[in-house]
Amino acid sequence: MDRFHLMSVFVAVAEEQSFAAAARRLQMSPPAVTRAVLALEERLGVKLLNRTTRYVRSTDAGLRYLEDARRIMAEADEADEAAAGVNAEPRGQLTVTAPVLFGRMFVMPSMVDYLQRFPAMAVSALFVDRVVNLLEEGIDVGVRIGELADSSMKAIQVGQVSRVVCAAPAYLAAHGAPAAPEELTGHSVIASTGVAADSDWRFTSGHKSGGGKTSNVKIRPRMTVSSNDAAIEAALRGFGVTRLLSYQIAPYLDSGQLQIVLAEHQPACVPIHVLHREGRLASAKVRRFVDLLVESLRSNKALR
């Protein structure tokens, strides 16, 4: 069998972690998929997959081969695009990741716009509140909030957000607004592990005027939730004070349903970046989506 075909089948099985799912994705029969993987392992003389009746997982050698195979397939896609011409319409599959609320509020509109412009494309979205390794999980484009570690990905800054403490006006009217971070110990605190899992909230006084004094406050939350949506809902119901990223509560600030407190103590802003493969590994379909997303995010006043 053709080497590139075998490689494509292996990538599908490794990503789906299932022979049956890979067969559906490739529109092949399960026995044909099994034969292709066995032929590839025999050609290479190494076991690429561990399989039982319950799961399929890549071996260490399989993980290394998967990374190389993805790169080779991306380069082949780019060669096809170059032969077809730069004006050829994007077609195929694109995978995008972003934090849950950010994806729903800011990435989804660009996805819909992109799909309406390019009907031959399909987009899969992975909206999760965790750091996603784009290369390992086969993601084409990602949005990352916060400082970036060294990466082989190309990063384009599109805005910034800040961590803010907020509460409903009804709660503040009943309990008063904290005048200093230390006063949070006397308030009903709602903690979201979707923003940070630690129990210390960091504050910086005077950073807007230069200098800045940093302090940590150990919070004792009365309510801890795993999603930012849940923290927002509890705050809207007047249960207490919570800390979120500014974009997450922007609509509720505009409507007056939430108010920021301790604004003069909030830490410096954190950047927002769009990430994608750099250089020749960035295909035309990726570049066009990135251009669209970057323009949309940079024009949004909630991210300035």
Side-chain angles (χ1 to χ4, degrees), residues 205-228:
S205 303
H207 72 83
K208 293 183 180 180
S209 58
K213 180 181 179 182
T214 299
S215 62
N216 288 343
V217 174
K218 184 172 290 296
I219 59 165
R220 294 177 175 80
R222 290 195 62 206
M223 179 186 293
T224 301
V225 294
S226 60
S227 75
N228 301 321

Side-chain angles (χ1 to χ4, degrees), residues 165-179 184 187-188 235 238-242 253 256-262:
V165 180
C166 64
Y171 175 86
L172 297 175
H175 302 277
L184 287 171
H187 283 267
S188 176
F239 180 76
V241 177
T242 191
L253 295 176
Q257 292 173 274
L258 292 176
Q259 294 179 7
I260 291 178
V261 298
L262 301 174

Side-chain angles (χ1 to χ4, degrees), residues 54-238:
R54 299 181 61 184
Y55 70 85
V56 176
R57 298 290 187 273
S58 297
T59 63
D60 289 343
L63 289 172
R64 291 192 296 271
Y65 189 78
L66 177 62
E67 183 177 342
D68 289 337
R70 284 171 172 161
R71 173 179 52 78
I72 292 167
M73 291 170 63
E75 290 178 339
D77 287 342
E78 186 176 353
D80 289 347
E81 291 170 359
V86 295
N87 295 322
E89 179 180 336
R91 61 180 60 249
Q93 181 77 30
L94 189 74
T95 307
V96 181
T97 187
V100 175
L101 275 178
F102 194 95
R104 190 185 74 197
M105 294 170 65
F106 302 111
V107 179
M108 184 62 69
S110 293
M111 288 173 53
V112 172
D113 188 6
Y114 180 78
L115 291 172
Q116 289 174 336
R117 294 189 190 193
F118 306 114
M121 284 298 305
V123 178
S124 297
L126 177 64
F127 293 159
V128 290
D129 289 326
R130 63 176 175 85
V131 177
V132 176
N133 187 308
L134 274 62
L135 291 175
E136 288 184 1
E137 300 192 36
I139 306 295
D140 297 300
V141 181
V143 176
R144 190 70 49 81
I145 301 174
E147 299 297 335
L148 297 177
D150 291 339
S151 171
S152 61
M153 311 296 286
K154 181 175 178 61
I156 305 169
Q157 185 166 348
V158 293
Q160 60 183 14
V161 290
S162 55
R163 296 187 187 277
V164 296
V165 180
C166 64
Y171 175 86
L172 297 175
H175 302 277
E182 294 75 18
E183 294 184 12
L184 287 171
T185 56
H187 283 267
S188 176
V189 172
I190 307 159
S192 170
T193 57
V195 173
D198 58 68
S199 61
D200 287 358
W201 285 5
R202 178 171 296 181
F203 296 91
T204 304
S205 303
H207 72 83
K208 293 183 180 180
S209 58
K213 180 181 179 182
T214 299
S215 62
N216 288 343
V217 174
K218 184 172 290 296
I219 59 165
R220 294 177 175 80
R222 290 195 62 206
M223 179 186 293
T224 301
V225 294
S226 60
S227 75
N228 301 321
D229 276 322
I232 291 172
E233 181 63 25
L236 289 171
R237 291 177 178 273

Side-chain angles (χ1 to χ4, degrees), residues 23-42:
R24 289 191 295 270
R25 169 171 153 182
L26 298 171
Q27 297 184 325
M28 297 172 57
S29 69
V33 170
T34 301
R35 286 195 299 270
V37 172
L38 290 174
L40 180 61
E41 290 180 325
E42 184 176 349

